[in-house]
């Protein structure tokens, strides 16, 4: 199964290639992010949010709440680049 880094890397790669987001893929990756929220580290959080924003995808409320909660819990571990990507 996908781990947080796989979710973040998949979305990041699609965003970097400027590929239009496949709604089904985004839904599956988003669901996985919610399921694994406690395992997301600052880099996975930042990369996931950056990728979604770059692709013009507005995640649903459950994804934002899950990632936001984990971001708050790991805030002290964020490096400046991850903070910039998250904002």
């Amino acid at each position: 199964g996908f781990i947080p880094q796989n979710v973040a890397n998949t979305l990041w790669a699609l965003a970097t290639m400027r590929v239009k987001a496949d709604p089904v893929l985004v839904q599956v990756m988003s669901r996985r992010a919610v399921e694994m929220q406690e395992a997301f580290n600052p880099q996975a959080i930042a990369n996931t949010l950056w990728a979604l924003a770059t692709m013009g995808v507005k995640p649903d409320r459950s994804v934002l709440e899950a990632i936001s909660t984990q971001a708050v819990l790991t805030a002290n571990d964020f490096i400046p680049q991850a903070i910039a990507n998250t904002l």
Side-chain angles (χ1 to χ4, degrees), residues 49-69:
L49 291 175
W50 177 88
L52 292 171
T54 300
M55 290 187 292
V57 173
K58 182 178 179 185
D60 67 31
R61 179 171 291 230
S62 65
V63 174
L64 286 177
E65 287 177 1
I67 290 177
S68 296
T69 297

Side-chain angles (χ1 to χ4, degrees), residues 30-84:
S30 296
R31 187 176 13 200
R32 191 71 180 128
V34 171
E35 292 169 358
M36 299 182 304
Q37 84 180 58
E38 293 177 359
F40 267 71
N41 64 26
Q43 184 174 356
I45 293 167
N47 290 351
T48 299
L49 291 175
W50 177 88
L52 292 171
T54 300
M55 290 187 292
V57 173
K58 182 178 179 185
D60 67 31
R61 179 171 291 230
S62 65
V63 174
L64 286 177
E65 287 177 1
I67 290 177
S68 296
T69 297
Q70 189 62 13
V72 169
L73 294 173
T74 60
N76 290 333
D77 298 326
F78 273 75
I79 62 171
Q81 183 64 51
I83 293 169

Side-chain angles (χ1 to χ4, degrees), residues 3-44:
I3 61 172
Q5 183 177 353
N6 300 139
V7 171
N9 288 352
T10 299
L11 294 172
W12 178 87
L14 293 171
T16 301
M17 292 186 299
R18 301 188 190 281
V19 173
K20 185 173 187 248
D22 175 358
V24 174
L25 177 61
V26 170
Q27 181 181 27
V28 169
M29 293 292 109
S30 296
R31 187 176 13 200
R32 191 71 180 128
V34 171
E35 292 169 358
M36 299 182 304
Q37 84 180 58
E38 293 177 359
F40 267 71
N41 64 26
Q43 184 174 356

